[in-house]
Amino acid sequence: SDADLNKAFVRFKELADKKKEISVMDLESLVNDEIQDMTSNRFALVNVQVLCGARCVPSATITLYDEKEKIERTDASIGTGPVDAAFQAVNRLMGFTAFGQSGAADVKLLEYSVSSVTAGIDALGEVTVRLQDTNSGRVFFGRAADTDIVVASTHAYVNALNRMLIQRTDLTPRLHPQLFSGSV
């Protein structure tokens, strides 16, 4: 649609403003992000602000838009680093608890990886997270790219949690393909 094309173009322009040169790999990463964002997500990342350094407590302030309730919410958290602080704020905003936080954990971070899409100081960082829903045992992934790895990390984490929320609200019984005999 025209709206999707305009959204992708805005992301391209933002990247072009941050980088001197845009490679084919940068474009592929942007397209992959846009395809991933086409699913109906309950929460959208609005803003990420972090504070970290050698002599301060890492903190993050996160703003999410709740599509269901049509409201923007902001929360701040501290953590072992800026990414941990951001993830903890996201958990609270979305109503989750994770290992290491108070309460019974219903989200477990299985994998967190950052890779450079291109070379150079203005490289696009691509982040992948894998989460486990401790209630169902199912694993969900999120992926995002940005020149700021904390922003990319937070976006990837929100993507994975949105997938988990969709699965939790979808009560359709799931049959393993190898166990399904074809007759119901």
Side-chain angles (χ1 to χ4, degrees):
S1 74
D2 286 344
D4 293 331
L5 183 60
N6 285 335
K7 184 179 172 189
F9 185 67
V10 166
R11 292 260 338 260
F12 170 77
K13 284 179 57 176
E14 289 171 351
L15 182 62
D17 289 341
K18 293 178 183 178
K19 295 186 68 164
K20 292 178 185 174
E21 294 180 19
I22 297 177
S23 71
V24 172
M25 290 182 288
D26 288 329
L27 292 175
E28 286 175 0
S29 186
L30 285 176
V31 168
N32 286 337
D33 279 354
E34 290 306 312
I35 290 170
Q36 186 171 336
D37 284 347
M38 290 173 69
T39 59
S40 60
N41 292 322
R42 171 148 180 210
F43 292 94
L45 182 63
V46 175
N47 191 41
V48 177
Q49 181 178 340
V50 296
L51 175 66
C52 59
R55 296 186 181 254
C56 69
V57 176
S59 63
T61 303
I62 304 296
T63 302
L64 296 178
Y65 181 74
D66 185 337
E67 294 286 343
K68 182 179 177 185
E69 296 183 19
K70 305 293 184 203
I71 190 167
E72 206 172 87
R73 290 195 172 94
T74 301
D75 195 2
S77 184
I78 60 172
T80 58
V83 172
D84 179 52
F87 286 8
Q88 289 194 46
V90 167
N91 286 337
R92 284 205 305 252
L93 287 167
M94 293 178 74
F96 290 107
T97 55
F99 282 91
Q101 295 180 328
S102 60
D106 54 1
V107 177
K108 182 177 181 181
L109 180 63
L110 299 176
E111 177 187 351
Y112 171 76
S113 64
V114 180
S115 60
S116 176
V117 174
T118 54
I121 192 79
D122 58 357
L124 198 60
E126 191 170 76
V127 176
T128 302
V129 296
R130 281 189 331 121
L131 306 174
Q132 183 177 36
D133 180 351
T134 58
N135 296 332
S136 69
R138 290 191 64 191
V139 175
F140 301 90
F141 82 97
R143 209 178 60 65
D146 198 283
T147 54
D148 183 324
I149 62 164
V150 178
V151 172
S153 299
T154 308
H155 201 94
Y157 194 68
V158 169
N159 287 342
L161 289 175
N162 271 321
R163 284 191 170 97
M164 192 164 71
L165 280 175
I166 290 168
Q167 180 269 330
R168 283 185 173 181
T169 57
D170 180 9
L171 301 177
T172 308
R174 301 280 185 248
L175 296 175
H176 190 282
Q178 292 176 338
L179 300 177
F180 183 64
S181 66
S183 59
V184 182

